[in-house]
Amino acid sequence: MTIETGARRERRLGSRTRAFTVGPASGHLTVSYASGGAPVRVEIRMAKQGSTLHGLLDLLSVSLSRGLAAGVPLGDLLADCLSTRFEPAGMTDDPQIPLATSVTDYAARRLALDCLPYEQRQELGVLTREERAAGEQRAWPLSVGIAGPRSG
């Protein structure tokens, strides 16, 4: 598949591959980056060749990559993949994403954490444990009344 970035095609792309497990299934997520650091190609592969899930994830990979090539913002592409529910689902081996509702949910969360700034991830509801904890600490004084103890 040829990936176009704007008016010119990149001849060499840097990439990063992550192995992952979601429930009992394992796979690889590869993201290729243009020279400026923007993601331009996504590939999601499951270990079990020939499965229906493997084929559907190939289709999703092509759709995400073509959307990026057409200039669709990554956040818009990922929004539809978040919280999708189907098997395999469950615990992951990724400490930043301990639980996923599907492989597409995991891949979208991992892509958001790796490629989107905090503000966009916050809009999508994709935060690390540390970011969630920091947000709860900031919200804590606002959720507690400021009245002192009652004198009786």
Side-chain angles (χ1 to χ4, degrees):
M1 172 174 60
T2 302
I3 303 296
E4 301 281 334
T5 56
R8 77 174 228 264
R9 189 176 86 203
E10 297 274 342
R11 293 179 76 55
R12 290 182 179 239
L13 300 173
S15 66
R16 183 175 189 179
T17 300
R18 289 182 177 266
F20 66 86
T21 59
V22 174
S26 60
H28 291 87
L29 173 64
T30 301
V31 182
S32 298
Y33 298 92
S35 57
V40 294
R41 183 172 181 217
V42 176
E43 187 174 314
I44 309 166
R45 294 274 182 199
M46 296 306 293
K48 187 175 178 184
Q49 293 286 334
S51 69
T52 301
L53 181 60
H54 182 88
L56 290 173
L57 290 174
D58 281 349
L59 179 63
L60 177 62
S61 298
V62 170
S63 297
L64 289 172
S65 297
R66 288 194 176 164
L68 290 170
V72 178
L74 180 60
D76 292 349
L77 294 170
L78 298 181
D80 293 330
C81 299
L82 292 168
S83 300
T84 53
R85 294 184 181 277
F86 57 86
E87 295 295 327
M91 300 299 292
T92 77
D93 60 350
D94 188 330
Q96 290 185 315
I97 308 167
L99 188 65
T101 58
S102 66
V103 174
T104 57
D105 177 60
Y106 171 80
R109 290 178 187 284
R110 183 74 263 163
L111 285 165
L113 288 172
D114 290 347
C115 302
L116 295 178
Y118 174 80
E119 294 77 21
Q120 284 184 327
R121 290 188 294 107
Q122 190 176 30
E123 288 177 19
L124 293 171
V126 179
L127 301 173
T128 64
R129 286 183 177 178
E130 294 80 18
E131 291 167 342
R132 283 190 194 283
E136 289 171 4
Q137 287 176 353
R138 283 191 298 266
W140 177 252
L142 300 176
S143 62
V144 176
I146 57 172
R150 290 185 166 181
S151 57

mmCIF file of all heavy atoms in Angstrom, residues 1 8 23-24 30 33 39-40 44 51-52 57 62 76 120 126 133 135 137 146 148 151-152:
data_model
loop_
_atom_site.group_PDB
_atom_site.id
_atom_site.type_symbol
_atom_site.label_atom_id
_atom_site.label_comp_id
_atom_site.label_asym_id
_atom_site.label_seq_id
_atom_site.Cartn_x
_atom_site.Cartn_y
_atom_site.Cartn_z
ATOM 1 N N MET A 1 0.848 -1.164 0.000
ATOM 2 C CA MET A 1 0.000 0.000 0.000
ATOM 3 C C MET A 1 0.898 1.232 0.000
ATOM 4 O O MET A 1 1.842 1.327 0.756
ATOM 5 C CB MET A 1 -0.881 -0.022 1.247
ATOM 6 C CG MET A 1 -1.664 1.225 1.433
ATOM 7 S SD MET A 1 -2.840 1.189 2.795
ATOM 8 C CE MET A 1 -1.793 0.906 4.177
ATOM 9 N N ARG A 8 3.717 14.827 -1.308
ATOM 10 C CA ARG A 8 4.827 13.950 -1.637
ATOM 11 C C ARG A 8 4.796 12.681 -0.805
ATOM 12 O O ARG A 8 4.284 12.653 0.307
ATOM 13 C CB ARG A 8 6.145 14.678 -1.451
ATOM 14 C CG ARG A 8 6.601 14.843 -0.044
ATOM 15 C CD ARG A 8 8.008 15.453 -0.041
ATOM 16 N NE ARG A 8 8.869 14.715 0.825
ATOM 17 C CZ ARG A 8 9.130 15.050 2.077
ATOM 18 N NH1 ARG A 8 8.596 16.120 2.592
ATOM 19 N NH2 ARG A 8 9.922 14.318 2.820
ATOM 20 N N GLY A 23 -6.723 -10.238 26.752
ATOM 21 C CA GLY A 23 -7.314 -11.517 27.122
ATOM 22 C C GLY A 23 -6.363 -12.629 26.733
ATOM 23 O O GLY A 23 -5.159 -12.531 26.960
ATOM 24 N N PRO A 24 -6.856 -13.670 26.045
ATOM 25 C CA PRO A 24 -5.979 -14.778 25.662
ATOM 26 C C PRO A 24 -5.242 -14.560 24.337
ATOM 27 O O PRO A 24 -4.413 -15.382 23.958
ATOM 28 C CB PRO A 24 -6.969 -15.941 25.525
ATOM 29 C CG PRO A 24 -8.227 -15.278 25.072
ATOM 30 C CD PRO A 24 -8.264 -13.948 25.786
ATOM 31 N N THR A 30 1.996 -1.909 14.876
ATOM 32 C CA THR A 30 3.112 -1.182 14.269
ATOM 33 C C THR A 30 2.597 0.150 13.751
ATOM 34 O O THR A 30 1.592 0.203 13.042
ATOM 35 C CB THR A 30 3.738 -1.979 13.102
ATOM 36 O OG1 THR A 30 4.191 -3.233 13.604
ATOM 37 C CG2 THR A 30 4.904 -1.222 12.481
ATOM 38 N N TYR A 33 5.962 6.399 11.120
ATOM 39 C CA TYR A 33 5.936 7.849 11.311
ATOM 40 C C TYR A 33 6.657 8.554 10.166
ATOM 41 O O TYR A 33 7.696 8.093 9.700
ATOM 42 C CB TYR A 33 6.624 8.231 12.629
ATOM 43 C CG TYR A 33 5.946 7.658 13.842
ATOM 44 C CD1 TYR A 33 6.332 6.429 14.362
ATOM 45 C CD2 TYR A 33 4.920 8.342 14.474
ATOM 46 C CE1 TYR A 33 5.709 5.898 15.481
ATOM 47 C CE2 TYR A 33 4.289 7.818 15.593
ATOM 48 C CZ TYR A 33 4.697 6.592 16.089
ATOM 49 O OH TYR A 33 4.066 6.076 17.187
ATOM 50 N N PRO A 39 2.086 10.190 12.713
ATOM 51 C CA PRO A 39 1.794 8.820 12.269
ATOM 52 C C PRO A 39 1.179 8.837 10.869
ATOM 53 O O PRO A 39 0.319 9.663 10.573
ATOM 54 C CB PRO A 39 0.802 8.296 13.302
ATOM 55 C CG PRO A 39 0.178 9.519 13.881
ATOM 56 C CD PRO A 39 1.204 10.607 13.803
ATOM 57 N N VAL A 40 1.653 7.933 9.999
ATOM 58 C CA VAL A 40 1.134 7.882 8.632
ATOM 59 C C VAL A 40 0.643 6.492 8.242
ATOM 60 O O VAL A 40 -0.035 6.337 7.227
ATOM 61 C CB VAL A 40 2.184 8.353 7.596
ATOM 62 C CG1 VAL A 40 2.486 9.828 7.782
ATOM 63 C CG2 VAL A 40 3.445 7.532 7.659
ATOM 64 N N ILE A 44 -2.199 -3.485 12.516
ATOM 65 C CA ILE A 44 -2.565 -4.289 13.673
ATOM 66 C C ILE A 44 -2.610 -5.735 13.211
ATOM 67 O O ILE A 44 -3.375 -6.074 12.304
ATOM 68 C CB ILE A 44 -3.937 -3.883 14.247
ATOM 69 C CG1 ILE A 44 -4.004 -2.376 14.482
ATOM 70 C CG2 ILE A 44 -4.229 -4.653 15.531
ATOM 71 C CD1 ILE A 44 -5.411 -1.851 14.713
ATOM 72 N N SER A 51 -7.764 -16.103 10.850
ATOM 73 C CA SER A 51 -8.983 -15.937 11.644
ATOM 74 C C SER A 51 -9.794 -14.758 11.116
ATOM 75 O O SER A 51 -9.283 -13.878 10.423
ATOM 76 C CB SER A 51 -8.629 -15.707 13.121
ATOM 77 O OG SER A 51 -8.029 -14.445 13.294
ATOM 78 N N THR A 52 -11.057 -14.747 11.463
ATOM 79 C CA THR A 52 -11.920 -13.635 11.084
ATOM 80 C C THR A 52 -11.393 -12.341 11.684
ATOM 81 O O THR A 52 -11.335 -11.302 11.008
ATOM 82 C CB THR A 52 -13.355 -13.894 11.579
ATOM 83 O OG1 THR A 52 -13.818 -15.114 11.009
ATOM 84 C CG2 THR A 52 -14.285 -12.768 11.192
ATOM 85 N N LEU A 57 -9.004 -6.923 11.342
ATOM 86 C CA LEU A 57 -7.975 -5.984 11.789
ATOM 87 C C LEU A 57 -7.103 -5.515 10.632
ATOM 88 O O LEU A 57 -6.634 -4.378 10.637
ATOM 89 C CB LEU A 57 -7.136 -6.597 12.907
ATOM 90 C CG LEU A 57 -7.880 -6.757 14.227
ATOM 91 C CD1 LEU A 57 -7.033 -7.497 15.246
ATOM 92 C CD2 LEU A 57 -8.346 -5.421 14.779
ATOM 93 N N VAL A 62 -5.842 -0.817 7.185
ATOM 94 C CA VAL A 62 -5.872 -0.105 5.901
ATOM 95 C C VAL A 62 -6.736 1.150 6.019
ATOM 96 O O VAL A 62 -6.359 2.223 5.545
ATOM 97 C CB VAL A 62 -6.389 -1.026 4.770
ATOM 98 C CG1 VAL A 62 -6.650 -0.245 3.499
ATOM 99 C CG2 VAL A 62 -5.380 -2.135 4.505
ATOM 100 N N ASP A 76 -9.985 11.760 15.471
ATOM 101 C CA ASP A 76 -11.282 11.448 14.864
ATOM 102 C C ASP A 76 -11.355 9.978 14.461
ATOM 103 O O ASP A 76 -12.401 9.339 14.610
ATOM 104 C CB ASP A 76 -11.531 12.329 13.638
ATOM 105 C CG ASP A 76 -11.742 13.789 13.998
ATOM 106 O OD1 ASP A 76 -11.903 14.099 15.202
ATOM 107 O OD2 ASP A 76 -11.733 14.625 13.074
ATOM 108 N N GLN A 120 -6.143 16.319 23.692
ATOM 109 C CA GLN A 120 -6.961 15.487 22.809
ATOM 110 C C GLN A 120 -7.300 14.160 23.481
ATOM 111 O O GLN A 120 -8.422 13.670 23.362
ATOM 112 C CB GLN A 120 -6.248 15.229 21.489
ATOM 113 C CG GLN A 120 -6.257 16.408 20.561
ATOM 114 C CD GLN A 120 -5.613 16.073 19.231
ATOM 115 O OE1 GLN A 120 -4.679 15.273 19.156
ATOM 116 N NE2 GLN A 120 -6.112 16.688 18.184
ATOM 117 N N VAL A 126 -8.926 9.074 27.302
ATOM 118 C CA VAL A 126 -7.790 8.150 27.314
ATOM 119 C C VAL A 126 -6.647 8.810 28.080
ATOM 120 O O VAL A 126 -5.916 9.638 27.547
ATOM 121 C CB VAL A 126 -7.325 7.790 25.884
ATOM 122 C CG1 VAL A 126 -6.130 6.851 25.935
ATOM 123 C CG2 VAL A 126 -8.466 7.188 25.086
ATOM 124 N N ALA A 133 -4.988 10.095 38.264
ATOM 125 C CA ALA A 133 -4.771 10.384 39.682
ATOM 126 C C ALA A 133 -4.524 11.874 39.893
ATOM 127 O O ALA A 133 -5.067 12.468 40.832
ATOM 128 C CB ALA A 133 -3.598 9.566 40.208
ATOM 129 N N GLY A 135 -5.598 14.303 38.007
ATOM 130 C CA GLY A 135 -6.875 14.975 37.770
ATOM 131 C C GLY A 135 -7.811 14.851 38.955
ATOM 132 O O GLY A 135 -8.515 15.789 39.311
ATOM 133 N N GLN A 137 -6.858 14.469 42.076
ATOM 134 C CA GLN A 137 -6.318 15.297 43.155
ATOM 135 C C GLN A 137 -6.677 16.759 42.941
ATOM 136 O O GLN A 137 -6.978 17.468 43.888
ATOM 137 C CB GLN A 137 -4.800 15.137 43.250
ATOM 138 C CG GLN A 137 -4.392 13.806 43.818
ATOM 139 C CD GLN A 137 -2.887 13.618 43.822
ATOM 140 O OE1 GLN A 137 -2.148 14.426 43.283
ATOM 141 N NE2 GLN A 137 -2.447 12.542 44.430
ATOM 142 N N ILE A 146 -16.476 23.313 52.068
ATOM 143 C CA ILE A 146 -15.439 24.037 52.793
ATOM 144 C C ILE A 146 -15.900 24.417 54.207
ATOM 145 O O ILE A 146 -15.165 25.051 54.932
ATOM 146 C CB ILE A 146 -14.984 25.288 52.019
ATOM 147 C CG1 ILE A 146 -16.160 26.217 51.734
ATOM 148 C CG2 ILE A 146 -14.243 24.906 50.765
ATOM 149 C CD1 ILE A 146 -15.762 27.531 51.146
ATOM 150 N N GLY A 148 -16.465 24.189 58.022
ATOM 151 C CA GLY A 148 -15.715 23.538 59.088
ATOM 152 C C GLY A 148 -16.594 22.594 59.893
ATOM 153 O O GLY A 148 -17.785 22.451 59.608
ATOM 154 N N SER A 151 -20.079 22.948 65.480
ATOM 155 C CA SER A 151 -19.879 23.060 66.932
ATOM 156 C C SER A 151 -21.179 22.646 67.604
ATOM 157 O O SER A 151 -22.260 22.985 67.170
ATOM 158 C CB SER A 151 -19.477 24.476 67.308
ATOM 159 O OG SER A 151 -20.445 25.395 66.857
ATOM 160 N N GLY A 152 -21.064 21.943 68.633
ATOM 161 C CA GLY A 152 -22.300 21.450 69.186
ATOM 162 C C GLY A 152 -22.488 21.680 70.549
ATOM 163 O O GLY A 152 -22.799 21.951 71.505
#
